[in-house]
Amino acid sequence: MSAPTLVNYDEVLERFDPVLGLEVHVELSTATKMFCGCANEFGGEPNSRVCPTCLGLPGSLPVVNEEGVRSAMKIGLALNCEIVPWCRFARKNYFYPDMPKNFQTSQYDEPIAVNGWLDLELEDGSTFRVEIERAHMEEDTGKSLHVGGATGRIHGADYSLLDYNRAGVPLIEIVTKPIVGTGERAPQVARAYVTALRDLLRSLEVSDVRMDQGSLRCDANVSLMPRGTSEFGTRTETKNVNSLRSVERAVRYEMSRQAGVLLAGEAIVQETRHFDEASGTTSAGRRKETAEDYRYFPEPDLVPIEPSRQWVDELRATLPELPWQRRKRVQTEWALSDEELRDLVNAGALDLIAATVDAGAPSGEARSWWVSYLTQQANNRAVPLDELPITAAQVARVIELVASGELTNNLARQAVDGVLAGEGEPDEVVAARGLKVVSDDSALITAVDEALAAQPDVADKIRGGKVAAAGAIVGAVMKATRGQANAQRVRELILERCS
Ligand code: ADP
Ligand code: MG
Ligand code: ZN
């Protein structure tokens, strides 16, 4: 197939308006799978967490996981959806080797939550509302491992291995209504939506929302319509885009590619596409099947779900503080301007700072650690701030050690380095690395005398009344004590010794 003609992004926008539709699958972190008692954990020895039910063996019967239903309802409520009074599961029939039952148990035309919305904060500070069509319950499939091919995909592989540990893991699929009116911000809106949804799900503690491990997966539907018209074009669905950045890139790429097809007078093929991280391009997958193809029918082995009003109200009352509520609260509590708040949100620091404050740190210190030293470390490692291997509680502990005088700022940075290097908790790093403030004056006096003796001309200046010259000696003492001295005390001692 010849390479697609890509249209320059500005020209795409001169000619077309994009329409988006985002489908996000989230794996719930319930203790057990959706319809059986097998443990729900990531990875593990292949096929070690399976039973007759999730393997679809004859005679086995599913039972709904109540915790899974509760999580689904919480998600629906947090997304401002209506929780329906009655719903049920259906069988979505198709064959795929990683799906041993030959059908997926999924909600089809009767989802548990419908008609919600999620407000996004964009980089420029504006708010964009995405309407949610539905959030429904289903189960995950197993995993195929294609061996022998160059790409790890099925094409060119010699054989495939199957692992059913993931088969039956509870999934919630959250589907947006068509998103119109984004214009040039379409890729940004797509990314901001998945980010906001991830933060929301994390605050609900229903999933560990790890895109890299597949517990949060996004399919991006994109179509274009000629500017000034309002009838949607044919869409493509780019599957399993595995990072926030990829969501943005995939949407942008599809817009440019589809514009090329349309401007050449050809038609968009309704199909799934695969996003390639390395090249940032999409390639054709399968032609899109329609709902009829799946021969959906109501699942006869499961009773319908009828959440009582009382249950819904109870769950609504137990929802934790949601990200936007937290934003409002901390803005007031920390007296932040809109701009300061936006900078913290854009830097991905706000939730981390808030969690550090919750763990007992003063907000000023918590802010300063996350936006300066830790942001620097994240940049050095080229990872997002929230993927640094340090927790808010650990940062709070380091701040506490500084406040109590046990660590200087310099030593505190070394303690943080140790935590980031996987050396354990802050206290363990402090002990193992011997990071202790030298507060014993006699040890400091020895170091001060040595430094004065090593730089006699500087010592003379200080004795002659040039107090500013003491800085050089302070520096030398700090170096000699590997930053373990209290600089203020060192200065006092220098002035005493030179008076
Ligand atoms: P499917 O079963 O094909 O995945 P869904 O209804 O689950 O269909 O999801 C389709 C997604 O695409 C929804 O978010 C929907 O709002 C969106 N969508 C529908 N039509 C279009 C279109 N023409 N262009 C872009 N997105 C669309
Ligand atoms: Mg879908
Ligand atoms: Zn099982």
Side-chain angles (χ1 to χ4, degrees):
M1 230 174 61
S2 60
T5 312
L6 298 179
V7 176
N8 167 289
Y9 194 64
D10 289 336
E11 198 188 331
V12 175
L13 295 162
E14 272 164 33
R15 307 289 300 267
F16 301 101
D17 277 325
V19 178
L20 303 177
L22 297 163
E23 296 168 68
V24 169
H25 285 91
V26 55
E27 275 182 0
L28 298 179
S29 50
T30 49
T32 54
K33 293 186 180 180
M34 193 65 200
F35 304 111
C36 66
C38 291
N40 170 20
E41 280 161 33
F42 180 74
E45 181 69 20
N47 299 307
S48 59
R49 288 194 291 273
V50 291
C51 73
T53 301
C54 55
L55 288 177
L57 301 187
S60 61
L61 286 172
V63 177
V64 171
N65 181 337
E66 184 182 332
E67 187 57 33
V69 177
R70 188 175 296 130
S71 297
M73 286 164 59
K74 278 195 202 165
I75 293 171
L77 289 169
L79 288 169
N80 309 292
C81 289
E82 174 196 332
I83 305 297
V84 300
W86 187 95
C87 64
R88 61 182 166 180
F89 287 96
R91 291 188 180 185
K92 180 180 183 182
N93 297 283
Y94 65 104
F95 168 78
Y96 205 76
D98 65 15
M99 198 179 60
K101 300 191 298 187
N102 261 0
F103 61 85
Q104 181 189 30
T105 307
S106 173
Q107 294 199 297
Y108 165 52
D109 49 354
E110 292 151 331
I112 189 158
V114 295
N115 293 330
W117 76 87
L118 181 60
D119 281 336
L120 320 178
E121 303 255 354
L122 300 184
E123 278 161 27
D124 62 3
S126 63
T127 306
F128 191 95
R129 176 162 293 188
V130 171
E131 310 268 349
I132 307 290
E133 182 181 300
R134 58 199 275 151
H136 73 245
M137 299 181 278
E138 56 185 39
E139 59 179 336
D140 215 342
T141 58
K143 270 185 187 171
S144 311
L145 182 67
H146 305 297
V147 185
T151 58
R153 298 182 69 191
I154 197 165
H155 303 284
D158 295 326
Y159 60 92
S160 300
L161 297 171
L162 290 161
D163 175 6
Y164 294 116
N165 281 349
R166 201 180 67 178
V169 163
L171 275 186
I172 304 297
E173 180 175 344
I174 300 156
V175 183
T176 68
K177 294 186 179 163
I179 305 169
V180 295
T182 60
E184 61 175 348
R185 299 175 302 175
Q188 195 201 129
V189 165
R191 180 185 181 142
Y193 170 75
V194 181
T195 308
L197 193 53
R198 181 198 61 175
D199 293 348
L200 178 67
L201 294 165
R202 187 182 281 152
S203 75
L204 293 173
E205 296 181 345
V206 291
S207 167
D208 56 7
V209 287
R210 294 274 303 262
M211 288 192 94
D212 58 327
Q213 292 187 351
S215 54
L216 185 76
R217 313 197 283 267
C218 174
D219 302 336
N221 293 268
V222 178
S223 67
L224 296 179
M225 49 190 183
R227 278 197 75 161
T229 64
S230 59
E231 195 181 321
F232 295 170
T234 304
R235 68 185 157 110
T236 61
E237 179 182 351
T238 302
K239 302 294 273 185
N240 293 342
V241 192
N242 293 328
S243 71
L244 294 171
R245 184 165 163 261
S246 296
V247 173
E248 189 169 352
R249 290 168 83 206
V251 168
R252 197 180 169 105
Y253 179 85
E254 266 305 281
M255 286 170 65
S256 290
R257 186 192 67 83
Q258 291 187 11
V261 172
L262 294 171
L263 291 178
E266 289 161 22
I268 302 296
V269 179
Q270 181 161 349
E271 63 190 357
T272 65
R273 296 185 68 87
H274 173 83
F275 183 68
D276 179 55
E277 296 266 348
S279 60
T281 62
T282 65
S283 54
R286 56 190 159 79
R287 290 285 171 115
K288 192 68 189 170
E289 44 298 282
T290 59
E292 295 83 71
D293 298 327
Y294 289 115
R295 293 293 180 266
Y296 281 96
F297 65 85
E299 168 59 62
D301 289 339
L302 289 167
V303 288
I305 295 168
E306 298 180 77
S308 68
R309 278 303 102 190
Q310 192 196 340
W311 193 21
V312 173
D313 291 341
E314 267 169 37
L315 280 179
R316 199 193 308 273
T318 61
L319 287 186
E321 183 179 46
L322 301 178
W324 53 90
Q325 296 166 335
R326 161 174 280 186
R327 265 166 221 174
K328 275 227 172 71
R329 176 175 62 81
V330 299
Q331 179 168 26
T332 321
E333 283 180 10
W334 308 350
L336 300 174
S337 68
D338 287 349
E339 204 167 33
E340 285 170 320
L341 179 72
R342 188 165 75 234
D343 287 347
L344 293 182
V345 172
N346 288 347
L350 190 96
D351 289 342
L352 295 164
I353 297 168
T356 308
V357 172
D358 287 347
S363 66
E365 265 93 301
R367 261 169 81 187
S368 137
W369 273 98
W370 285 107
V371 299
S372 56
Y373 191 67
L374 290 165
T375 293
Q376 226 173 304
Q377 302 311 306
N379 291 343
N380 291 346
R381 291 163 182 242
V383 296
L385 199 53
D386 62 8
E387 281 176 24
L388 270 184
I390 189 165
T391 64
Q394 289 168 329
V395 175
R397 176 62 185 150
V398 171
I399 292 171
E400 191 184 355
L401 289 171
V402 176
S404 66
E406 285 167 75
L407 293 180
T408 59
N409 282 327
N410 182 323
L411 290 173
R413 281 193 284 274
Q414 295 181 45
V416 165
D417 291 344
V419 175
L420 292 175
E423 294 166 26
E425 292 298 317
D427 289 282
E428 291 166 340
V429 176
V430 167
R433 290 195 177 195
L435 305 177
K436 271 267 170 292
V437 174
V438 181
S439 48
D440 163 16
D441 274 358
S442 69
L444 287 183
I445 289 168
T446 311
V448 166
D449 287 347
E450 276 170 14
L452 288 169
Q455 301 189 60
D457 45 331
V458 180
D460 283 343
K461 279 188 193 159
I462 303 171
R463 289 192 190 99
K466 282 206 160 179
V467 177
I473 305 295
V474 174
V477 172
M478 294 308 285
K479 201 166 175 188
T481 57
R482 293 184 15 250
Q484 290 173 245
N486 176 324
Q488 183 56 35
R489 183 69 192 134
V490 171
R491 175 175 295 275
E492 287 166 14
L493 288 172
I494 294 167
L495 298 180
E496 270 174 33
R497 304 299 281 174
C498 293
S499 64

